[in-house]
Structure formats: structure tokens, C-alpha cells
Amino acid sequence: MAGRSGGDRRAEILRAAAGLFAARGFHGVSIDDLGRAVGTSGPALYRHFPGKEALLAAILLEVSERLAADGKQRAEACADDPRSALEELLRGHIRFALTEPALITVHDRELDNVPAPDRRRIRRFQRGYVEQWVGVLARLRPASDPATLRAAVHAAFGLLNSTPHSAQELTPEPMAGLLLDMGRAALLAGD
């Protein structure tokens, strides 16, 4: 374990915790289970996180912040072409959904176990991410009101975030293509 940076160790702990929380639920995992998963004692994790709730919050804050930053970058990179921006947003979210299904499961099941201040921060990042999509979609569907566009984005996320359940039978490449086609169709429906 020597030679790893603190950031690498933190990332390793977050990945392991996400996997355990997804498999067994937040309340089904002890601090000792978390420590064993990364080759240390449970109490040693307190050097990185003050408790299990803080670890859960860090998992969900990290992914929410990362998705928001990625969405902003993708939308801005194609600012002159909303159709390309939508494609990029879809591709980015699909890549996330196919490579990190444990994070989707943890968010869906465990957000209420995050302390309120962190939960509010997570929700702010998520609203910002949704608004990136709404802004792009508004340019493609100018006759649609923001509430309808927001509902369409949330519905598309439901489709894309189905990967913990839907991506079992297809390899990643055909699943990504299927999700891209379905996401695009869902978001542009009503044109």
C-alpha cells in the first residue's frame, strides 16, 4: 500500500464503500466491513472520514459534483450546436451509467441517510446538472415550457439509470448504443 497518494486512498475507500453499500445497503455495512474491503481496520478509516454517514455523503457529493462538471463541459464544448451537445450529454451520462451502476444504486436507496446539509449540496449539484440538459433541450424544443423539459430530462435519467437492472444481458457497446437511441428519442419526443 506504500506509494499511494492520499487522493488515491480516498478514491479506493469511496469505490469500495459504494460497492458494499450497493450490495448490502448502508445499514448492512459496518465500519469494520469497510475497513476490511480496503485492507485496513475499520477504525483506521476515521483518519479519512469522521463516520459512515460522512463516507456516504462523500460518495454522493463526489459523483454529483463530477456529473455536474462533466455536463457543463460537454454542453459548453458544443454551445453552437445543441443537437451535438445533447449527444455529448447522453454519451457522458451513458458512460457513467454503464461503468458505475453501484453509485446509481447507492443514490437511489441511500440518499436519505446523508446528513441534511450534505444532502442539500448533493441536490444543488443535481439541479445544476439537470439545468444543463434543460438548457440544451430548450434550444431543440423551443415550444416546450421549462417544466415539461425538466420532466423529460428526469424521465430520461430514469431510463439511463436503469443500468443496474437493464445492462445484464448486453455487452457495454450495444447497451450504450441502445441507451443512446432510446435517450435521444425520449428527449426529442413531441417535436
Side-chain angles (χ1 to χ4, degrees):
M1 293 201 202
R4 277 188 299 195
S5 73
D8 291 343
R9 184 65 167 156
R10 178 180 168 84
E12 177 187 13
I13 294 166
L14 292 174
R15 268 191 311 278
L20 286 172
F21 292 157
R24 298 181 3 211
F26 177 74
H27 295 295
V29 177
S30 71
I31 198 75
D32 290 327
D33 295 332
L34 292 165
R36 273 192 298 280
V38 294
T40 190
S41 71
L45 293 179
Y46 292 123
R47 282 185 250 144
H48 301 277
F49 301 95
K52 202 168 76 162
E53 292 82 5
L55 178 54
L56 176 62
I59 291 168
L60 296 179
L61 277 165
E62 188 276 332
V63 71
S64 298
E65 186 173 9
R66 184 167 30 106
L67 283 171
D70 184 66
K72 181 177 183 193
Q73 180 182 7
R74 287 173 183 274
E76 288 176 353
C78 300
D80 295 335
D81 183 357
R83 194 161 294 274
S84 292
L86 180 62
E87 291 288 312
E88 282 302 308
L89 287 169
L90 283 163
R91 288 180 192 282
H93 196 92
I94 290 165
R95 180 186 40 76
F96 158 73
L98 289 173
T99 59
E100 303 189 65
L103 292 174
I104 293 169
T105 300
V106 171
H107 179 274
D108 284 348
R109 288 195 323 220
E110 307 299 348
L111 183 60
D112 287 342
N113 289 309
V114 172
D118 289 327
R119 193 169 50 245
R120 284 190 294 275
R121 288 181 59 211
I122 291 164
R123 290 289 192 205
R124 265 194 309 275
F125 282 123
Q126 291 171 340
R127 280 191 300 275
Y129 184 55
V130 168
E131 291 309 312
Q132 288 293 329
W133 288 67
V134 169
V136 168
L137 205 51
R139 294 177 61 206
L140 294 168
R141 296 176 54 182
S144 296
D145 64 276
T148 299
L149 297 176
R150 218 168 275 111
V153 169
H154 282 290
F157 286 168
L159 168 73
L160 301 176
N161 290 343
S162 71
T163 56
H165 313 287
S166 65
Q168 309 306 319
E169 294 186 35
L170 295 178
T171 59
E173 190 174 321
M175 188 65 188
L178 178 64
L179 289 171
L180 182 62
D181 291 343
M182 292 176 75
R184 185 186 313 113
L187 288 166
L188 296 176
D191 275 352

